[in-house]
Amino acid sequence: MAAVGTESSELVASQISRALEALAGRSIAVLTGAGVSTDSGIPDYRGDGSPRRTPMTFQEFTGDEAKRRRYWVGSHLGWRSFSSTRPNRGHRALAALEAAGTVTGLVTQNVDGLHLRAGSRAVVELHGDMRSVSCLACGTRFPRELVARRLERDNPALALPDGVALGPDGDVLPQSWEDVTVPDCTVCEGILKPDVVFFGELVPAARTRVAEQVVDDAEALLVAGSSLAVNSGLRLVSRAHRRGSPIVIINRGGTKGDGRADVKIDAGTTETLEALASALM
């Protein structure tokens, strides 16, 4: 009898072979989720063994000043750690596939900016990014670094501690936030919010249309590191399925899109994307 590890390796190799048959010779749209960034040190909050997470909703952020202070402290500490992460080999494999003309567009549910830093250019950041902050009242947009400097100036004790635990979306839970002064808009004194899509907040319609166009313009869809638990990503898989495009999903564990996939690869994204890129270029 073959060892379990051998059986597993043979199964993954077979799945990759089938994925190559589905993708070879076709232009590919890519949809990525948190699982692509785990090898960069950013934990996935939906997979098995992931840390428990209770994300703040848009309604809580806008309606409760105390919760807004809590969010800003956690978000700031996490952003400082978040900004030091680096793209991994999976990010770079996708960038190489784009440079080769095989990947024609990439939609990511991540807000970490790692695809752009890896060299991908045709990127739609479906849930926004952490690089900027906007006023909810007047719409003025500010660089995140500028707002971060104001936050630290007004709260000198708010320094990044050693060993801060980095959570999903760059958020960590602070020990205390009661006395924190949160920066407001310098134009109208309105509420500032990082340019990420909160739970309970809709993805902007124009951004959704661009993401849909990425899927429509390609001949196949590759999903990497997403459980597809969020409807914004699952809708894109459904769209590709309705068009009859081959769909390949790479994810450890099940996803809501498995029933629509032509091939499901139950393996890590980094090594699988490298294997696919090596064969497709």
Side-chain angles (χ1 to χ4, degrees):
M1 179 180 294
V4 173
T6 302
E7 291 178 349
S8 177
S9 297
E10 290 177 350
L11 176 60
V12 170
S14 174
Q15 291 169 342
I16 290 176
S17 178
R18 289 171 52 217
L20 288 171
E21 291 177 6
L23 298 174
R26 292 184 168 96
S27 58
I28 303 169
V30 178
L31 171 65
T32 68
V36 168
S37 294
T38 55
D39 286 341
S40 292
I42 301 173
D44 178 356
Y45 55 86
R46 294 191 188 277
D48 293 339
S50 299
R52 186 175 182 274
R53 184 173 184 257
T54 53
M56 185 169 296
T57 67
F58 179 74
Q59 292 74 18
E60 289 174 325
F61 181 85
T62 56
D64 189 316
E65 184 178 354
K67 289 182 178 179
R68 193 156 57 246
R69 286 198 301 269
R70 187 197 80 184
Y71 172 84
W72 268 107
V73 174
S75 178
H76 176 73
L77 294 178
W79 175 72
R80 284 298 189 202
S81 288
F82 214 49
S83 60
S84 68
T85 59
R86 295 290 180 267
N88 60 54
R89 300 191 316 275
H91 294 112
R92 291 193 287 272
L94 290 172
L97 283 170
E98 182 189 297
T102 302
V103 165
T104 53
L106 186 153
V107 180
T108 184
Q109 297 171 296
N110 301 335
V111 299
D112 53 37
L114 292 177
H115 285 299
L116 291 171
R117 289 160 62 187
S120 293
R121 291 293 171 261
V123 178
V124 180
E125 294 174 302
L126 195 61
H127 295 161
D129 65 79
M130 296 182 69
R131 298 182 297 276
S132 59
V133 174
S134 292
C135 174
L136 295 178
C138 70
T140 302
R141 200 174 188 188
F142 303 91
R144 180 67 181 259
E145 181 64 44
L146 178 64
V147 176
R149 288 201 299 267
R150 287 182 57 202
L151 187 62
E152 292 179 347
R153 181 199 66 196
D154 296 339
N155 305 278
L158 192 58
L160 182 65
D162 292 335
V164 63
L166 179 61
D169 297 336
D171 195 16
V172 293
L173 185 63
Q175 296 299 315
S176 175
W177 54 80
E178 289 84 355
D179 298 325
V180 168
T181 299
V182 174
D184 56 17
C185 178
T186 54
V187 175
C188 73
E189 299 184 347
I191 294 173
L192 293 181
K193 172 187 163 295
D195 287 330
V196 298
V197 176
F198 279 35
F199 279 75
E201 187 179 12
L202 295 176
V203 175
R207 193 181 304 160
T208 296
R209 288 194 293 271
V210 175
E212 290 172 345
Q213 195 63 51
V214 168
V215 172
D216 290 351
D217 288 344
E219 297 167 328
L221 176 64
L222 172 63
V223 181
S226 176
S227 64
L228 299 172
V230 179
N231 285 335
S232 57
L234 186 59
R235 288 192 192 102
L236 295 177
V237 174
S238 298
R239 190 178 185 92
H241 186 256
R242 288 195 301 270
R243 290 172 53 82
S245 300
I247 298 170
V248 173
I249 297 178
I250 309 165
N251 195 66
R252 290 196 186 278
T255 83
K256 286 190 174 182
D258 287 355
R260 299 174 178 85
D262 294 86
V263 183
K264 166 65 187 303
I265 305 174
D266 197 334
T269 57
T270 298
E271 59 269 27
T272 306
L273 288 172
E274 282 190 312
L276 291 176
S278 176
L280 289 170
M281 289 191 298

